[in-house]
């Protein structure tokens, strides 16, 4: 990386993470808060470049580098989440689109259409309208991106914005619009043409191994021996880095090379491989068992989809005979959804529409109480898996409930579960639901030990993706569809 220019501190631009923050927003005294707000207003007035008139848009010189550097430096000096949220809120509300200009240019376009003017005049009017729709803060982001480390800074700034929104420190349509604008810019800067695919091995730099270990969000790495297994024989680990920061992971994919489609995660992350030397004839399937984004500011930027596609090509070059590609995916949110159903049924005078009469009788005898309330208590902890009888009794009803959760529960017509939605958008098939597939504490408490395989039939991913995104059709296997039919027959939601 080039040396930092004047006004840009390494503390802010070299690390992608800001220093650790206090647990909550700090309350300032009225006098101090007023002084800070005035400083913010003065900073934004200087740093956000005024928008040139349309005729001079390509002739106006860029603002002095120091103006953008002042914003970066000031922002980096705000240690509190609430302070950063306040600055971002003021930027979004005060330096967005000039709605008066938009209305004026829109009226001009409509008038020209009614007058049926020639195409060139109408196209120029539409270009003026497009220009009016560009918010002022976009210019600030654009010029910051040209600074050394500027894109990194904007990735962290968006991470801060997302955090502030989740904490409801800053809200409103202006803030959501600024988030969308910044996400769009990052999507351009991090498009697949600027990304490098890199493989991680035990001989990779220690710093890379450490980052991969720390960023693993799906199945946490316990120690160095665990990490060594995950990059050793019959395992592959790849990541995307940006061309401006080679060697720095943005999104990481872990792959297991197996003889069949895996149905249990502990067999992958805990058990040692069959031998220290890979035998290609023992490899018949590639299992994507973890994909993790290392930079929260890149949420929503299409990195994971591109990474899977690139890794498939890489594996096919290494193993030309390899034809089976599948995920082994967690089902976050299933337990929460199920507990919500049990709670709602308990409130409605103890009625039960999730289980058959025979299942109710068997489960009640095991847990010793009314099924809804008692089962809710059991599933709220991980202790229920210690009862073999209860595990057997719950397998059939929880399998069909999970199938419905993945296949039938929707948000705006698409799969409610975010992991399912991700793989279905990629064109995968909801292929198999696995019982007792993740018996870790996290797996039991978040998804009642269930995991799903999303299978990638390479020749079908394009049509499947188009069908899902366009018509909201979910492609599923016979096993899943059979479980869904059982749910529809035995449960009356």
């Amino acid at each position: 990386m080039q040396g930092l220019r004047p006004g840009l501190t390494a503390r802010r631009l070299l690390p992608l993470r800001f220093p650790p923050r206090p647990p909550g927003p700090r309350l300032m005294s009225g006098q101090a808060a007023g002084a800070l707000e005035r400083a913010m207003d003065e900073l934004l007035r200087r740093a956000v470049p005024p928008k040139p008139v349309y005729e001079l848009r390509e002739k106006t010189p860029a603002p002095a580098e120091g103006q953008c550097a002042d914003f970066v430096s000031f922002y980096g000096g705000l240690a509190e989440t609430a302070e950063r949220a306040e600055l971002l809120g003021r930027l979004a509300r005060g330096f967005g689109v000039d709605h008066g200009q938009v209305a004026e240019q829109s009226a001009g376009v409509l008038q020209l259409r009614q007058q049926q003017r020639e195409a060139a005049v109408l196209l120029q009017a539409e270009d003026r309208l497009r220009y009016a729709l560009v918010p002022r803060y976009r210019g600030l982001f654009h010029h910051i991106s040209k600074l050394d480390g500027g894109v990194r800074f904007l990735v962290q700034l968006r991470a801060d914005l997302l955090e502030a929104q989740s904490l409801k420190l800053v809200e409103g349509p202006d803030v959501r619009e600024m988030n969308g604008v910044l996400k769009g810019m990052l999507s351009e800067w991090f498009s697949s043409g600027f990304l490098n695919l890199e493989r991680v091995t035990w001989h990779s730099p220690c710093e890379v191994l450490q980052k991969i270990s720390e960023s693993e969000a799906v199945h946490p790495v316990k120690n160095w021996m665990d990490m060594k297994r995950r990059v050793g024989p019959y395992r592959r680990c790849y990541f995307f880095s940006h061309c401006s920061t080679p060697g720095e992971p943005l999104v990481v994919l872990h792959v297991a090379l197996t003889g069949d489609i895996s149905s249990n995660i502990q067999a992958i992350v805990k058990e040692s491989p069959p031998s220290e030397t890979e035998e290609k004839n023992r490899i018949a399937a590639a299992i994507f068992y973890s994909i993790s984004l290392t930079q929260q500011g890149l949420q929503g930027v299409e990195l994971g989809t591109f990474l899977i596609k690139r890794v498939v090509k890489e594996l096919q070059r290494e193993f030309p005979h390899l034809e089976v590609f599948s995920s082994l995916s967690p089902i976050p949110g299933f337990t929460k959804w199920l507990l919500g159903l049990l709670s709602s049924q308990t409130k409605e005078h103890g009625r039960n529409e999730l289980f058959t009469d025979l299942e109710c009788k068997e489960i009640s005898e095991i847990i010793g109480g009314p099924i809804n309330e008692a089962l809710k208590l059991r599933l709220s902890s991980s202790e229920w898996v210690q009862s073999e009888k209860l595990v057997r009794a719950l397998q059939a009803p929880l399998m069909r409930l999970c199938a419905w959760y993945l296949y039938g529960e929707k948000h705006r017509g698409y799969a409610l579960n975010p992991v399912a939605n991700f793989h279905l958008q990629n064109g995968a098939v909801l292929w198999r639901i696995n019982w007792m597939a993740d018996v870790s504490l996290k797996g039991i408490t978040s998804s009642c030990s269930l995991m799903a395989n999303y299978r990638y039939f390479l020749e079908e991913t394009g049509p499947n993706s188009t069908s899902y995104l366009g018509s909201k059709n979910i492609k599923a296997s016979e096993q899943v569809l059979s479980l869904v039919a059982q749910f529809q027959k035995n449960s009356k939601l």
Side-chain angles (χ1 to χ4, degrees):
M1 179 176 287
Q2 300 175 4
L4 295 171
R5 300 179 185 177
L8 305 185
T9 63
R11 183 172 69 89
R12 281 298 150 212
L13 291 183
L14 288 180
L16 274 171
R17 299 188 193 93
F18 286 108
R21 300 175 193 166
R26 187 180 68 182
L27 297 176
M28 301 179 65
S29 67
Q31 187 174 3
L36 180 60
E37 289 170 0
R38 288 191 294 275
M40 288 180 179
D41 290 338
E42 175 60 24
L43 168 76
L44 294 174
R45 186 187 62 77
R46 294 195 321 270
V48 183
K51 199 170 177 181
V53 297
Y54 177 81
E55 288 75 15
L56 300 178
R57 66 194 184 284
E58 296 178 355
K59 300 176 183 178
T60 303
E65 186 177 288
Q67 292 176 236
C68 298
D70 286 346
F71 180 89
V72 172
S73 181
F74 184 95
Y75 186 86
L78 298 174
E80 304 298 331
T81 304
E83 294 170 355
R84 296 182 183 198
E86 178 63 26
L87 179 60
L88 294 175
R90 287 171 179 264
L91 178 62
R93 291 187 297 270
F95 298 87
V97 167
D98 184 335
H99 298 293
Q101 274 291 313
V102 172
E104 182 180 329
Q105 298 301 329
S106 298
V109 171
L110 290 173
Q111 185 178 18
L112 289 173
R113 282 180 61 85
Q114 291 169 354
Q115 295 173 353
Q116 297 185 346
R117 298 289 295 276
E118 56 270 25
V121 176
L122 182 59
L123 288 172
Q124 186 181 53
E126 290 173 345
D127 192 50
R128 285 176 177 271
L129 175 57
R130 275 193 296 272
Y131 183 69
L133 286 166
V134 176
R136 277 184 64 184
Y137 51 68
R138 195 182 194 284
L140 174 65
F141 298 154
H142 175 72
H143 294 300
I144 288 177
S145 73
K146 296 181 179 180
L147 301 175
D148 290 331
V151 172
R152 287 176 154 202
F153 170 82
L154 291 172
V155 170
Q156 183 58 57
L157 184 143
R158 182 164 182 259
D160 291 342
L161 181 59
L162 292 171
E163 180 187 18
Q165 287 181 285
S166 68
L167 295 173
K168 299 191 183 302
L169 295 175
V170 59
E171 299 179 275
D174 294 322
V175 173
R176 291 192 294 272
E177 176 66 17
M178 187 170 77
N179 175 46
V181 169
L182 188 51
K183 174 188 167 185
M185 298 176 78
L186 291 171
S187 295
E188 292 179 7
W189 297 328
F190 287 87
S191 62
S192 58
F194 298 117
L195 301 175
N196 301 318
L197 180 67
E198 303 188 41
R199 180 182 167 188
V200 182
T201 70
W202 188 238
H203 302 291
S204 296
C206 195
E207 296 81 2
V208 171
L209 290 168
Q210 183 72 25
K211 288 177 182 177
I212 298 292
S213 174
E214 291 175 351
S215 67
E216 175 52 41
V218 184
H219 306 291
V221 178
K222 292 181 174 59
N223 50 44
W224 281 109
M225 288 305 297
D226 188 7
M227 188 68 210
K228 186 175 183 180
R229 278 197 301 270
R230 299 192 191 196
V231 297
Y234 297 97
R235 300 292 181 267
R236 294 292 185 272
C237 179
Y238 299 93
F239 67 86
F240 267 153
S241 65
H242 194 265
C243 59
S244 65
T245 54
E248 184 160 315
L250 299 173
V251 59
V252 183
L253 179 65
H254 289 269
V255 185
L257 302 174
T258 63
D260 199 357
I261 295 179
S262 303
S263 61
N264 183 281
I265 190 62
Q266 273 71 44
I268 291 177
V269 299
K270 284 192 173 182
E271 297 178 10
S272 298
S275 66
E276 286 298 316
T277 304
E278 287 182 353
E279 299 176 32
K280 290 192 175 184
N281 61 350
R282 302 184 68 167
I283 297 172
I287 309 301
F288 312 128
Y289 68 92
S290 174
I291 185 164
S292 297
L293 189 66
T294 67
Q295 307 301 327
Q296 294 308 306
L298 294 176
Q299 283 184 37
V301 176
E302 199 172 7
L303 298 176
T305 299
F306 292 137
L307 180 57
I308 288 176
K309 290 179 179 178
R310 290 275 289 274
V311 166
V312 165
K313 292 180 180 179
E314 188 72 16
L315 291 173
Q316 286 182 316
R317 278 195 288 268
E318 187 177 1
F319 306 101
H321 68 285
L322 193 59
E323 295 181 350
V324 178
F325 299 90
S326 173
S327 79
L328 179 59
S329 301
I331 310 173
F334 172 64
T335 300
K336 182 179 179 181
W337 174 81
L338 179 57
L339 293 177
L341 289 183
L342 292 170
S343 294
S344 64
Q345 301 224 335
T346 299
K347 290 177 182 177
E348 295 182 25
H349 308 293
R351 72 185 179 94
N352 175 61
E353 295 182 345
L354 301 179
F355 307 95
T356 65
D357 293 340
L358 187 60
E359 288 168 348
C360 283
K361 181 181 177 182
E362 183 181 7
I363 295 170
S364 295
E365 289 175 355
I366 296 171
I367 62 181
I371 184 169
N372 288 342
E373 194 60 41
L375 187 58
K376 180 183 172 184
L377 291 173
R378 293 293 184 95
L379 295 179
S380 297
S381 74
S382 61
E383 295 178 1
W384 64 272
V385 296
Q386 297 174 12
S387 168
E388 292 184 11
K389 288 184 178 180
L390 186 56
V391 168
R392 284 197 301 271
L394 288 176
Q395 180 174 357
L398 262 58
M399 286 278 285
R400 67 172 183 262
L401 283 162
C402 185
W404 178 256
Y405 171 68
L406 295 175
Y407 185 85
E409 290 293 317
K410 304 293 180 64
H411 173 67
R412 297 179 180 175
Y414 299 106
L416 174 66
N417 182 266
V419 178
N421 187 52
F422 169 76
H423 288 292
L424 294 169
Q425 284 187 34
N426 293 345
V429 174
L430 177 51
W431 192 67
R432 188 172 67 193
I433 297 171
N434 304 293
W435 179 246
M436 289 290 120
D438 184 0
V439 293
S440 68
L441 178 63
K442 183 178 180 181
I444 295 167
T445 54
S446 68
S447 60
C448 295
S449 84
L450 290 150
M451 298 187 78
N453 296 116
Y454 298 91
R455 188 164 174 181
Y456 286 76
F457 296 93
L458 301 185
E459 294 182 358
E460 299 176 14
T461 53
N464 289 347
S465 176
T466 300
S467 177
Y468 179 68
L469 293 172
S471 304
K472 303 176 181 177
N473 294 326
I474 293 178
K475 188 74 175 292
S477 69
E478 290 185 7
Q479 185 236 27
V480 174
L481 293 177
S482 175
L483 289 169
V484 169
Q486 292 174 37
F487 168 85
Q488 292 171 326
K489 176 182 177 182
N490 296 309
S491 302
K492 305 176 182 64
L493 293 183

